[in-house]
Amino acid sequence: MNENYVAVIGDINVDYLISIKKFPDYDGDVEVEALKLSGGGFGANTAYALSKLGERVLLFGCVGKDQNGETALSDLKGKVDLSGIIKRGKTGVCFSVIDESGVRRLMTYRGSNLLCDNSKFDLEKIGKAAWIHIAGLGLDNVNFLFKNLKINSWDPGMPFLDSLKNLPEFSEGVEYIFLNEREFELLRSKFEAWESFENIIVKMGEKGLFYFKKGKSVFNMPAFKVKALDSTGAGDAFNAAFIHAMMKKSDVLYALKFASASGAISVTKFGARSVPDEFEIEKFLEEVKE
């Protein structure tokens, strides 16, 4: 029998958020306008955003026994169940450089995330979750999880898709897959079998989103118009809000609208953990109707 919590299995990092006016030319140099250190990573960001929406969340992943590990988990303590965290190696680090238009460039050292052995996790506890979400991870770990669990949602990330050699075992084992525009184009160009995914949600930032079912475009949704400050973590905020809405038995169309609003709000703030709660999202949706 499923229990009313979300199990998130995924990458955990610390983020160095670097704000600049514009990206330097080759061999150039620019002054940093602002610098911030915070917890990050696909898995941890999604878990944090889900907790902000009122969900009970269990996070499974790896950090190092180092100061970065403490930083990565610090703002999750008391909000997310961290009993599934394994400590080994060096904590993953992501350098996120954002210009004044809100465009970002990422440079990631995956560290402990590559050393994580998902077979050490409590599969029974994960399997009892009402919703299981995978965020990031390497090929061996994803293979193991797909063989042992039915996955509700998955955000694989570009490095994973770029290294992927085969597809069917994944398309048959997940209900919803979240991709950004570049990831979707890679998936379509690399695998003829991409249409075998039951549900694909393509997040395209200011261009909105597309929703595909078995390769057929069901609908596209325009983006909400906001002034973007920082897109770091917007995709994770979107994913969490979609999961939350589906946990409340919303239909997919409303869940996507709710998720789009969450993503839009998040880009107006600095940092991956500046995510809205349910009241803020509902208030935003009421205001855009006026």
Side-chain angles (χ1 to χ4, degrees), residues 17 36 45-46 48-50 52-53 98 101-102 104 203 205-206 224-241 257-277 280-281 284:
L17 304 172
K36 180 180 178 181
N45 289 343
T46 306
Y48 181 86
L50 280 163
K52 190 81 178 284
L53 291 166
I98 309 110
S101 71
R104 64 175 180 158
K203 302 169 288 186
E206 63 183 12
F224 294 106
K225 302 299 182 184
V226 295
K227 181 173 175 53
L229 172 64
D230 174 18
S231 60
T232 305
D236 304 322
F238 179 104
N239 296 349
K257 187 176 181 180
F258 187 83
S260 295
S262 179
I265 295 167
S266 73
V267 303
T268 65
K269 304 174 183 180
F270 194 57
R273 300 289 167 85
S274 299
V275 293
D277 59 22
E280 192 175 355
I281 297 172
F284 177 89

Side-chain angles (χ1 to χ4, degrees), residues 85-289:
I85 301 299
I86 296 172
K87 294 189 175 182
R88 62 181 304 187
K90 292 183 178 180
T91 303
V93 179
C94 178
F95 297 91
S96 179
V97 186
I98 309 110
D99 73 2
E100 61 184 0
S101 71
V103 173
R104 64 175 180 158
R105 301 286 188 273
L106 302 179
M107 294 164 285
T108 304
Y109 166 72
R110 298 199 63 205
S112 298
N113 296 304
L114 291 178
L115 302 175
C116 217
D117 181 357
N118 285 188
S119 67
K120 305 297 185 188
F121 292 143
D122 188 337
L123 288 186
E124 183 179 357
K125 186 177 286 187
I126 296 172
K128 288 181 179 179
W131 193 284
I132 301 172
H133 176 69
I134 298 178
L137 302 182
L139 181 58
D140 289 344
N141 284 329
V142 173
N143 269 325
F144 174 79
L145 293 169
F146 270 76
K147 286 176 182 176
N148 288 277
L149 299 163
K150 175 63 178 175
I151 308 303
N152 298 98
S153 57
W154 179 34
D155 192 330
M158 178 63 82
F160 183 94
L161 292 175
D162 200 30
S163 66
L164 195 60
K165 299 291 189 290
N166 200 6
L167 192 64
E169 66 268 28
F170 298 116
S171 60
E172 295 165 6
V174 63
E175 191 174 1
Y176 295 93
I177 179 170
F178 300 114
L179 305 171
N180 65 29
E181 189 173 10
R182 288 184 60 224
E183 291 162 352
F184 180 58
E185 290 306 320
L186 175 63
L187 184 76
R188 285 203 299 183
S189 63
K190 195 172 180 179
F191 301 108
E192 291 184 6
W194 73 271
E195 296 179 347
S196 58
F197 278 105
E198 184 67 29
N199 301 281
I200 299 178
I201 297 165
V202 185
K203 302 169 288 186
M204 302 190 300
E206 63 183 12
K207 292 188 283 186
L209 67 84
F210 275 93
Y211 172 50
F212 291 85
K213 196 168 186 67
K214 289 291 187 181
K216 304 295 182 184
S217 178
V218 179
F219 58 78
N220 72 295
M221 184 181 293
F224 294 106
K225 302 299 182 184
V226 295
K227 181 173 175 53
L229 172 64
D230 174 18
S231 60
T232 305
D236 304 322
F238 179 104
N239 296 349
F242 179 84
I243 294 167
H244 173 68
M246 295 300 287
M247 290 272 287
K248 295 183 70 175
K249 309 301 182 186
S250 299
D251 62 74
V252 174
L253 178 59
Y254 180 77
L256 289 173
K257 187 176 181 180
F258 187 83
S260 295
S262 179
I265 295 167
S266 73
V267 303
T268 65
K269 304 174 183 180
F270 194 57
R273 300 289 167 85
S274 299
V275 293
D277 59 22
E278 186 168 31
F279 173 79
E280 192 175 355
I281 297 172
E282 290 176 346
K283 183 174 181 288
F284 177 89
L285 288 172
E286 284 296 320
E287 288 173 350
V288 297
K289 284 197 303 186

Side-chain angles (χ1 to χ4, degrees), residues 27-41:
D27 204 26
D29 188 6
V30 296
E31 185 175 345
V32 172
E33 301 286 313
L35 178 66
K36 180 180 178 181
L37 177 64
S38 74

